């Protein structure tokens, strides 16, 4: 199935200090009539299932049938899993870069501060699979405690939200999404090295459910489109510096202007830190980027593609989406 260019709003890398998703979804739904707003994704490591169901149930009550409830595991308790296999390269030549190693971030004072601010004192994150079940049951109105006591979420019960699982590997997120027959979103734009592992793992675990008869995959890509390749490359120059600010744990900076990006004194270590993300950003004319997106869809078997565009000026982002939409519709 050739994927449409979906109108699910792409999300940049989340800063966990900013819980704006529910507010953004409500505002977007209020200002539009066709866009499916939602989350991409709620990081359940520092949330409860009930709070998530109630918050999105409230938005669904105002804008029924238009919400995507994306659920992620970041910030939670990682399960014990074997080491990941080296990234494999698809036959069609899609770039799969070396695996990014986030080990240097684990001892970051900023990461520790974020976790402290997000978690209640002495709180322990719930097992992710159990937490997903504790989201699905209140939505369906079937929640029962181990000793048989019913609980009902109002708002939330019966909400017509479309549940997605966000995953970066073929591990627990892919297993949970597949075993429960949920939709799965893999993020080539954040973790390009593991996108094939993620979609393969999900499909291997998939079991038909009340939600889906067959697997359904969305794959994200970061793109910058302009009338010609040179202009697009210029608009994308700040991307590497912005990614660097996240991967050094300094904190995401305001997206750089072209002048700021060109003024940065890049070290070899800096370049190595962001190389996988810069190399897998699709930048160029509408035709060039559409060709790359078709290559991504072919390699992953994606049912739809989720497009996010990062640059400094809002007008450039809008033009990028518009140029790509016209080219995609032409094919």
């Amino acid at each position: 199935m050739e994927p449409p260019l979906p109108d699910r709003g792409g999300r940049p890398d989340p800063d966990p200090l900013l819980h704006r998703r529910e507010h953004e979804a409500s505002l977007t739904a209020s200002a539009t009539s066709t866009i499916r707003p939602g989350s991409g994704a709620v990081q359940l490591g520092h949330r409860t299932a009930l709070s998530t169901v109630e918050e999105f149930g409230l938005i669904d009550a105002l804008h029924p049938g238009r919400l995507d409830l994306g659920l992620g595991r970041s910030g939670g308790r990682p399960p014990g899993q074997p080491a990941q296999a080296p990234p494999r390269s698809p036959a069609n030549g899609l770039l799969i870069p070396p695996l990014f190693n986030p080990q240097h971030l684990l001892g970051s004072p900023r990461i520790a501060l974020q976790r402290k601010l997000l978690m209640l004192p002495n709180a322990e994150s719930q097992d992710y699979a159990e937490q997903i079940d504790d989201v699905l049951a209140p939505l369906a109105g079937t929640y029962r405690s181990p000793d048989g006591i019913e609980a009902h979420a109002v708002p939330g019960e019966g909400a017509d939200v479309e549940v997605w699982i966000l995953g970066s590997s073929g591990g627990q997120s892919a297993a949970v999404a597949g075993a429960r027959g949920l939709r799965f979103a893999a993020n080539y734009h954040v973790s390009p090295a593991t996108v094939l592992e993620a979609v393969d793992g999900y499909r291997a675990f998939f079991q038909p459910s009340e939600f889906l008869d067959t697997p359904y995959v969305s794959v994200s890509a970061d793109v910058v489109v302009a009338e010609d390749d040179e202009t697009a490359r210029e608009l994308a120059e700040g991307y590497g510096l912005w990614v660097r600010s996240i991967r050094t744990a300094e904190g995401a900076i305001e997206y750089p202007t072209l002048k700021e990006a060109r003024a940065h004194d890049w070290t070899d270590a800096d370049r190595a830190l962001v190389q996988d993300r810069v190399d897998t950003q699709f930048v160029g004319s509408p035709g060039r980027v559409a060709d790359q997106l078709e290559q991504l869809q072919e390699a992953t078997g994606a049912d739809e593609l989720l497009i996010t565009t990062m640059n400094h000026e809002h007008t450039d982002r809008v033009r990028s989406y518009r140029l790509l939409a016209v080219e995609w519709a032409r094919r």
Side-chain angles (χ1 to χ4, degrees):
M1 172 181 179
E2 182 175 294
L5 192 66
D7 53 9
R8 307 179 193 276
R11 294 288 191 274
D13 299 36
D15 181 338
L17 285 177
L18 301 178
H19 284 277
R20 302 173 301 186
R21 294 174 184 82
E22 296 84 356
H23 184 57
E24 289 175 346
S26 181
L27 289 174
T28 302
S30 298
T32 64
S33 59
T34 59
I35 289 177
R36 291 188 61 86
S39 58
V42 175
Q43 305 303 314
L44 290 178
H46 40 71
R47 298 289 299 270
T48 66
L50 180 60
S51 67
T52 302
V53 170
E54 288 184 338
E55 288 168 10
F56 280 83
L58 178 60
I59 303 173
D60 177 74
L62 297 171
H63 308 283
R66 291 179 55 199
L67 289 182
D68 292 342
L69 174 52
L71 303 171
R73 191 175 61 83
S74 178
R77 185 173 56 188
Q81 293 183 18
Q84 295 174 341
R88 68 174 177 86
S89 296
N92 73 347
L94 176 74
L95 176 60
I96 301 295
L99 189 66
F100 170 69
N101 185 354
Q103 192 68 31
H104 67 284
L105 296 174
L106 300 182
S108 162
R110 178 178 290 274
I111 299 297
L113 174 61
Q114 289 177 344
R115 185 169 179 82
K116 178 181 178 181
L117 292 174
L118 289 167
M119 299 289 289
L120 290 172
N122 303 314
E124 183 176 332
S125 300
Q126 185 181 4
D127 175 77
Y128 183 62
E130 294 175 2
Q131 199 167 17
I132 294 299
D133 290 338
D134 285 351
V135 169
L136 297 177
L139 285 171
T142 59
Y143 184 89
R144 303 291 186 277
S145 70
D147 51 359
I149 300 174
E150 295 183 9
H152 298 276
V154 181
E157 186 171 313
D160 187 15
V161 297
E162 196 168 272
V163 178
W164 289 75
I165 301 296
L166 174 68
S168 296
S169 73
Q172 191 183 30
S173 296
V176 167
R180 286 152 182 78
L182 298 172
R183 293 166 176 81
F184 185 69
N187 49 7
Y188 183 73
H189 84 289
V190 172
S191 186
T194 57
V195 67
L196 298 181
E197 173 200 339
V199 298
D200 289 350
Y202 164 67
R203 292 191 177 104
F205 285 112
F206 185 83
Q207 297 291 326
S209 71
E210 62 182 292
F211 309 108
L212 293 173
D213 294 327
T214 58
Y216 193 92
V217 173
S218 175
V219 176
S220 66
D222 193 279
V223 313
V224 176
V225 182
E227 289 79 3
D228 56 77
D229 292 345
E230 183 179 356
T231 302
R233 285 193 295 268
E234 186 174 278
L235 292 174
E237 280 199 43
Y239 185 68
L241 187 57
W242 180 76
V243 172
R244 176 195 172 278
S245 70
I246 298 169
R247 287 191 167 179
T248 57
E250 295 172 4
I253 60 174
E254 184 176 342
Y255 198 86
T257 64
L258 177 62
K259 182 178 180 180
E260 290 167 339
R262 289 180 171 174
H264 181 72
D265 185 15
W266 285 89
T267 66
D268 290 343
D270 278 346
R271 295 188 186 282
L273 190 65
V274 304
Q275 198 67 53
D276 64 320
R277 294 283 297 274
V278 173
D279 287 348
T280 55
Q281 186 186 35
F282 297 157
V283 178
S285 65
R288 176 184 293 274
V289 171
D291 286 346
Q292 292 173 311
L293 288 172
E294 287 183 342
Q295 186 180 39
L296 176 64
Q297 188 276 327
E298 179 185 44
T300 60
D303 297 284
E304 64 177 59
L305 300 176
L306 189 154
I307 306 305
T308 180
T309 294
M310 299 297 296
N311 49 44
H312 187 267
E313 296 296 331
H314 177 70
T315 53
D316 292 329
R317 291 194 293 275
V318 172
R319 184 168 65 253
S320 177
Y321 287 128
R322 183 172 292 126
L323 288 169
L324 180 57
V326 169
E327 174 64 23
W328 196 265
R330 186 187 64 79
R331 296 188 174 215

